Amino acid sequence: MTIEQYGWNKNWQSKWNERITGNEGKGYVPGRIVGDFGSKYRVMAENGETWGELAGKLRHSLTNSGEYPAVGDWVVLALQDGGEHAVIHGVLPRHSVISRKVAGNTLEEQIVASNVDTLFLVSALNDDFNVRRMERYLIMAWNSGANPVILLTKSDLCPDAEHKIAEMERVAPGVAIHAVSALLGDGREELLPYIGIGQTVALTGSSGCGKSTMVNWLSGQTIQLTQDVREDDSRGRHTTTHRELFVLPDGGIIVDTPGMRELQLWEDEGGLDLAFGDITRLAAECRFGDCRHEHEEGCAVLEAVASGELEEKRLLNYRKTQRELQYQSSKEVKQKRKTAAATKSAASRSRNSNWRHELDEY
């Protein structure tokens, strides 16, 4: 395998040339992160796959979790021991970043995958089917810079697949939706345009929705373990435990990710307005520019709900998600201010210490 088969092209070569110049480039080679195992990474370099770890200087320069290398990243490597080991000295600028907030109350970004062209948002056509959850996944997708595509898996288990496709189309206008069945082999041809040579796709969705099955189906071989879902609630267990990248027979690159029990959104880069484009368009017709679409007179959004043009549950989810993102943004600002204050205080203590030292010497 070569790095070209993993997506290396003229654009990445140009970014490499901008980053690595002159004598600085001696001894460095490009590589792509194909597996994230915590403190170590599997990396595809010019002479094949190898284990890599962060250089000490790079590790100490990273200030937040979102800056660490992730699956899909192109990195600057120094190969050692004949290519058996690699040290990561830098990350090339990303053209897309799929991220979420880490689970719990910690305010940190978790990179799901980077440099992805198409993000497959996977939902099974069983009891796990949930349009409100898909609205959140669409926000993450639009924020990432990748092209969102909805995959409705296990169509062989759904007698009313057309009805559910129509439901999804109402909450995802303009987004491609494909109903597929790996068991019956239905729908693979529709996905070929996304998995052509050099194209990177990633799969994300809840546990048990069929992501690992999709990887095996598209690759034509069993490269990921799968497990049956519970029959009583259609919930699955985490089969995939880490993020990993594979090359497909059609020349594309696919990233499998662990299932998400919950999706906590990270910063909003316009994804909310794109995912709820119908509400955004209606809001432009409201009488007041600061309309909250709750009880204001002349609210075009509420009028659309009253007339049946807009589903009330969709508006409620929009409000809930908007409040969540606003709250998170306020917490992030406070944390940045706290960090800046702590840094300023530490610098002040250092200056005072130096001043007292100078007085003692005097």
Side-chain angles (χ1 to χ4, degrees):
M1 300 293 284
T2 65
I3 59 173
E4 285 76 17
Q5 290 172 284
Y6 280 79
W8 186 257
N9 54 35
K10 292 180 179 179
N11 290 332
W12 288 113
Q13 184 64 55
S14 177
K15 290 185 178 184
W16 176 270
N17 294 339
E18 291 174 4
R19 174 68 184 272
I20 307 298
T21 59
N23 292 330
E24 181 188 4
K26 291 183 178 179
Y28 289 147
V29 297
R32 193 171 197 186
I33 304 291
V34 299
D36 183 352
F37 297 87
S39 60
K40 289 194 174 183
Y41 303 87
R42 287 297 292 174
V43 186
M44 169 53 91
E46 58 186 8
N47 60 341
E49 279 196 27
T50 185
W51 284 104
E53 57 185 343
L54 300 183
K57 184 178 179 180
L58 175 61
R59 183 183 296 107
H60 292 305
S61 70
L62 302 177
T63 58
N64 60 70
S65 57
E67 296 178 353
Y68 279 77
V71 169
D73 271 330
W74 287 101
V75 293
V76 180
L77 300 176
L79 298 178
Q80 299 180 346
D81 303 324
E84 294 295 324
H85 180 72
V87 178
I88 301 170
H89 288 271
V91 180
L92 295 187
R94 299 158 171 161
H95 76 72
S96 67
V97 182
I98 300 163
S99 64
R100 56 177 286 191
K101 191 184 86 64
V102 297
N105 297 321
T106 304
L107 191 64
E108 288 185 5
E109 180 182 18
Q110 181 183 61
I111 305 296
V112 177
S114 65
N115 300 320
V116 170
D117 300 300
T118 301
L119 178 58
F120 285 158
L121 307 174
V122 186
S123 176
L125 285 167
N126 54 20
D127 292 340
D128 184 56
F129 181 84
N130 188 316
V131 294
R132 301 282 83 86
R133 183 194 302 141
M134 185 57 70
E135 288 171 340
R136 295 177 65 83
Y137 277 102
L138 282 166
I139 295 172
M140 178 181 70
W142 286 123
N143 283 334
S144 74
N147 177 46
V149 172
I150 296 174
L151 294 190
L152 301 178
T153 61
K154 307 181 183 182
S155 62
D156 54 286
L157 301 178
C158 183
D160 60 342
E162 292 301 322
H163 173 71
K164 290 191 174 181
I165 291 173
E167 277 191 75
M168 200 62 78
E169 287 175 340
R170 286 194 291 270
V171 302
V175 177
I177 300 173
H178 303 284
V180 299
S181 169
L183 179 65
L184 301 180
D186 292 341
R188 191 180 190 280
E189 289 187 359
E190 297 177 18
L191 306 184
L192 293 180
Y194 309 112
I195 57 175
I197 295 174
Q199 293 291 304
T200 300
V201 300
L203 298 164
T204 189
S206 59
S207 299
C209 66
K211 296 186 303 300
S212 295
T213 298
M214 287 294 300
V215 172
N216 293 339
W217 182 45
L218 293 175
S219 66
Q221 56 182 317
T222 303
I223 56 179
Q224 289 287 71
L225 296 175
T226 60
Q227 297 185 72
D228 292 333
V229 299
R230 298 195 298 260
E231 293 184 3
D232 56 344
D233 59 2
S234 298
R235 295 294 296 273
R237 291 174 291 176
H238 289 302
T239 304
T240 302
T241 57
H242 56 271
R243 297 162 189 82
E244 198 162 1
L245 182 153
F246 306 95
V247 175
L248 297 173
D250 299 285
I253 303 109
I254 194 166
V255 181
D256 193 11
T257 65
M260 296 184 186
R261 293 294 188 199
E262 61 174 339
L263 171 59
Q264 295 192 46
L265 298 169
W266 186 237
E267 296 178 345
D268 183 34
E269 300 290 342
L272 180 68
D273 286 341
L274 287 170
F276 291 90
D278 50 350
I279 295 179
T280 302
R281 287 188 293 273
L282 287 168
E285 301 175 12
C286 290
R287 180 181 302 175
F288 304 106
D290 59 350
C291 184
R292 294 181 297 177
H293 322 306
E294 294 179 353
H295 48 70
E296 296 86 350
E297 290 186 8
C299 175
V301 176
L302 294 180
E303 291 174 2
V305 172
S307 69
E309 178 186 351
L310 178 67
E311 186 182 9
E312 185 177 18
K313 289 182 180 179
R314 181 164 169 80
L315 175 58
L316 294 175
N317 197 32
Y318 170 80
R319 290 175 182 164
K320 176 184 176 182
T321 308
Q322 186 181 50
R323 288 194 298 268
E324 176 188 336
L325 289 169
Q326 289 172 345
Y327 175 69
Q328 181 180 302
S329 178
S330 66
K331 286 181 64 177
E332 183 181 5
V333 169
K334 289 179 181 178
Q335 182 166 306
K336 286 181 178 179
R337 288 176 179 172
K338 184 177 180 181
T339 301
T343 302
K344 183 177 180 180
S345 177
S348 177
R349 288 195 301 271
S350 177
R351 286 195 300 270
N352 290 338
S353 176
N354 292 337
W355 179 71
R356 286 194 299 269
H357 180 68
E358 290 173 359
L359 282 179
D360 290 341
E361 287 185 344
Y362 181 76

